[in-house]
Amino acid sequence: MLQFISHYNEKYSYLDSIGMALEGGCRWIQLRMKDAQKEEIRHTALVAQRMCREAGATFVIDDHVMIVKEIGADGVHLGKNDMPISEARKILGKDVIIGGTANTFEDILHHWRDGADYIGCGPFRFTTTKKGLAPVLGLEGYYEMTRRMKAEGITLPIVAIGGITADDIPDIMATGVTGVAISGTVLRAESPASEMRRLKTLLEETSIITSNRTTGLKV
């Protein structure tokens, strides 16, 4: 699972970033516009949703449950300070994807009990794309999370996030996580679409190798 978290810089807008991620083959887009007004988010979301539907991609909006309900987006991602997952589920119903941010195993357990569909777990390392950063997890943090999830019988998809680059993907996937979320490393590339394509291929190859190691198969 490869997720792209929208971002912007002096060169690219939020919609530019989403367009390049889709061009590069990413099929899970999260619109995150933390400092924007709701009307701007709604307008951007409508355009981004159309882009995602044309590409056959899943479209998730960060935080704004009511915008998700209004426009019929595929899902919402909720941070630790956003609306509780249990409340969002009552508003959106059982068929809308709801993801939750986790920094500890206790967060994961809480989200699982509240009916989350996946976990965004991080940060892997320090990143400038997110304010109010929680303690960095690193590889050991992911090993611990996946170990405890397995022990508790929790099978939610878990997506690593936070400052991840191409070089990190093999080691991160070896911890047992389900996928990674990418943002700044794509926009900083000389060709963001090509970088996304490279990351997608790398993640797919790494996932196959990790699965074969688990099952004892040779590649």
Side-chain angles (χ1 to χ4, degrees), residues 82-148:
D82 297 334
M83 181 185 291
I85 286 173
S86 56
E87 185 177 342
R89 182 61 74 196
K90 291 177 184 177
I91 294 170
L92 297 175
K94 62 182 179 63
D95 296 326
V96 174
I97 299 166
I98 301 180
T101 295
N103 180 250
T104 66
F105 177 72
E106 287 67 31
D107 294 334
I108 293 174
L109 190 60
H110 182 71
H111 292 335
W112 176 60
R113 288 171 174 167
D114 278 356
D117 294 300
Y118 75 93
I119 301 294
C121 192
F124 171 64
R125 65 161 60 89
F126 177 78
T127 173
T128 58
T129 63
K130 191 169 185 180
K131 298 178 180 179
L133 208 63
V136 169
L137 292 175
L139 292 174
E140 288 304 316
Y142 290 127
Y143 275 115
E144 177 66 9
M145 297 290 186
T146 57
R147 182 191 67 79
R148 295 186 66 180

Side-chain angles (χ1 to χ4, degrees), residues 133-188:
L133 208 63
V136 169
L137 292 175
L139 292 174
E140 288 304 316
Y142 290 127
Y143 275 115
E144 177 66 9
M145 297 290 186
T146 57
R147 182 191 67 79
R148 295 186 66 180
M149 287 176 69
K150 186 175 181 180
E152 293 290 334
I154 299 173
T155 57
L156 284 179
I158 179 169
V159 179
I161 184 172
I164 296 169
T165 68
D167 291 341
D168 301 316
I169 288 177
D171 288 338
I172 289 175
M173 294 303 293
T175 68
V177 302
T178 313
V180 298
I182 300 292
S183 184
T185 192
V186 171
L187 294 197
R188 289 190 296 268

